[in-house]
Amino acid sequence: MSRARAARGHVVVVGGGLAGLAAALTCAEGGARVTLLERRPRLGGATWSFEHHGLHFDNGQHVFLRCCTAYRRFLDRIGASDRVVLQPRLDVPVVAPGGRVAHLRRDPLPAPLHLARALGRYTHLPLRERVALGRAALALQRLDPADPQLDATTFGAWLRAAGQSPAAIERVWNLIALPTLNVDANEASLALAAMVFRTGLLSDAPAADIGWSRVPLSDLHAAPAARALAVRGAQVQTAARVGRIETRDSAVAAVAVDGERIEADAVVLAVPHDAAASLVPAGALAGLEPGDLSRLGTSPIVNVHLVYDRPVLEYPFAAAVGSPVQYVFDRTASSGMDASEGQCVAVSLSGADAYVGRPARALADELTRAMVALFPLAADARVVDSLVTREQAATFRAGPGTAALRPGTRTRVDGLFLAGAWTATGWPATMEGAVRSGEDAARAALSTLASRDRAREPYPFDAVKEVVA
């Protein structure tokens, strides 16, 4: 892509989450003039931080895997790769009430043999059910996530047909399905579940090594991305409420924002699917109406933050079974708390329909009791502060039928492109899916601008002389 060609167009990116940031960065790197509009007073979308009683907290715990190559490249491009931790080798401590621990740890063997020993020693299931895990994993490896029939049934139904017990589903399969799909395996689309397990666990041994931020999320995404965009000449406007996308002759013309009109040669719409439904022009989506996007639904995530007067968690993070706790993370360093004064942990609850409406005090008390049941050190510790963060519509609802409701990047409006983890990325609603969608939309926008430039170029004079001669 010629930088001179792309620079002749103006791309307006609507939305400052990861999809919008990735789209704006890619367009700016391609030479386009870029304006990014975000309705909130901050960037980062669903990944943000805040201060409370002198400590820094994230709205929710976010992790990534080694296979999240687009997201990791994005961190490189904004200069934030040194702000994350990536396990050298997958190791998930799985804790049951009473403090019993089993590790899901990979060996230096090719997939899927890399997990054989860990599953064989996984004492949270009886031996016969551990053997059945291997048979189901091999059958899952043979599934094609692109097969539309897989999106017609649930992962839970497939697991039961494959001989998996309720205990195996809860104590193994949901350890991965619930945090990645944000719904229980019994509700999740088999197509999306197959994609997650094949990509993350069954095809490449290092793919599922887990990474997380060592700093508050706003310091990981928003601030570095804003600097990277400024260096590349992009204009960023926060607290900018977009009213509509104007079209002329079935092509993008402008974006109306706060009573003003910003002319655009291309628009990347990178907002949540419920917001996109009110901004996408009628007839823009092939096979869908904008209102159909609401049928994607939403699924909540709740995080309970507990500040203890002493250490209670001996791992950077741990999963739990037989407990209301799903995953718990040590966030002491990122919060700014002095480790000599105690420990700050975040209990992450995905697919949190049962928790999102609970009073904060009752929820914190329940999780405090659950932590005592899991971690012996918590019994003698005192919770000196707690708070609950809720993302009511954290992701789309990844149930059967989802694939047909996820539109692609291009629309029927010339110059209008869609981005967001809810679009047809092939991934569930993850940071990786968001970044991939933004990059895809940006590349499509740059390609469109370059095509228009070529169409506008006058016929070379020397070529005319040659033909006449």
Side-chain angles (χ1 to χ4, degrees), residues 339-364:
S340 66
E341 297 179 357
Q343 189 174 41
C344 178
V345 305
V347 179
S348 182
L349 305 173
S350 301
D353 299 273
Y355 298 102
V356 71
R358 294 273 304 277
R361 181 72 269 158
L363 192 52

Side-chain angles (χ1 to χ4, degrees), residues 25 43 59 176 217 225 237 287 289 387 406 408 435:
L25 188 65
L43 299 176
N59 69 312
I176 294 92
L217 287 175
Q237 298 181 28
E289 291 300 322
L387 66 155
R406 298 177 72 181
V435 171

Side-chain angles (χ1 to χ4, degrees), residues 63-73 85-91 106 199-201 204-212 427 432 436:
V63 301
F64 61 95
L65 305 181
R66 191 178 295 276
C67 63
C68 295
T69 53
Y71 174 71
R72 292 168 58 208
R73 271 197 317 271
V85 179
L86 180 60
Q87 289 181 322
R89 185 178 297 177
L90 174 70
D91 185 359
R106 75 170 173 91
T199 304
L201 284 170
D204 181 39
D209 300 342
I210 297 174
W212 60 92
W427 285 68
E432 174 72 6
R436 282 176 179 250

Side-chain angles (χ1 to χ4, degrees), residues 5 8 450 452-460:
R5 287 187 191 280
R8 294 166 68 174
R452 290 176 186 168
D453 282 351
R454 285 193 293 269
R456 285 194 294 262
E457 285 179 352
Y459 201 79

Side-chain angles (χ1 to χ4, degrees), residues 95-101 372-376:
V95 187
R100 294 182 294 112
V101 183
V372 170
L374 293 169
F375 303 103

Side-chain angles (χ1 to χ4, degrees), residues 223-432:
R227 288 192 293 269
L229 288 170
V231 166
R232 291 159 177 81
Q235 300 296 312
V236 175
Q237 298 181 28
T238 55
R241 189 170 294 276
V242 172
R244 68 185 181 281
I245 297 171
E246 297 181 8
T247 61
R248 184 186 306 114
D249 298 328
S250 299
V252 160
V255 173
V257 53
D258 295 331
E260 299 182 7
R261 186 174 180 274
I262 300 177
E263 293 189 354
D265 298 296
V267 171
V268 175
L269 186 60
V271 297
H273 64 275
D274 51 351
S278 64
L279 291 174
V280 173
L285 305 179
L288 293 170
E289 291 300 322
D292 291 335
L293 298 180
S294 62
R295 291 164 53 200
L296 280 168
T298 60
S299 188
I301 295 177
V302 171
N303 275 254
V304 179
H305 308 266
L306 303 173
V307 182
Y308 289 93
D309 65 350
R310 67 195 70 187
V312 299
L313 178 66
E314 60 183 291
Y315 311 105
F317 73 95
V321 294
S323 169
V325 173
Q326 293 175 14
Y327 278 83
V328 56
F329 294 80
D330 179 4
R331 302 304 292 162
T332 307
S334 68
S335 73
M337 184 178 189
D338 189 327
S340 66
E341 297 179 357
Q343 189 174 41
C344 178
V345 305
V347 179
S348 182
L349 305 173
S350 301
D353 299 273
Y355 298 102
V356 71
R358 294 273 304 277
R361 181 72 269 158
L363 192 52
D365 288 346
E366 178 182 349
L367 270 298
T368 299
R369 292 191 296 271
M371 287 287 291
V372 170
L374 293 169
F375 303 103
L377 293 175
D380 296 324
R382 182 171 62 92
V383 174
V384 297
D385 198 4
S386 66
L387 66 155
V388 176
T389 54
R390 314 169 201 257
E391 290 289 341
Q392 303 255 0
T395 67
F396 67 85
R397 203 162 193 91
T402 296
L405 298 173
R406 298 177 72 181
T409 295
R410 294 181 180 271
T411 72
R412 289 175 170 172
V413 174
D414 184 24
L416 176 62
F417 307 94
L418 303 179
W422 53 274
T423 60
T425 64
W427 285 68
T430 58
M431 296 190 295
E432 174 72 6

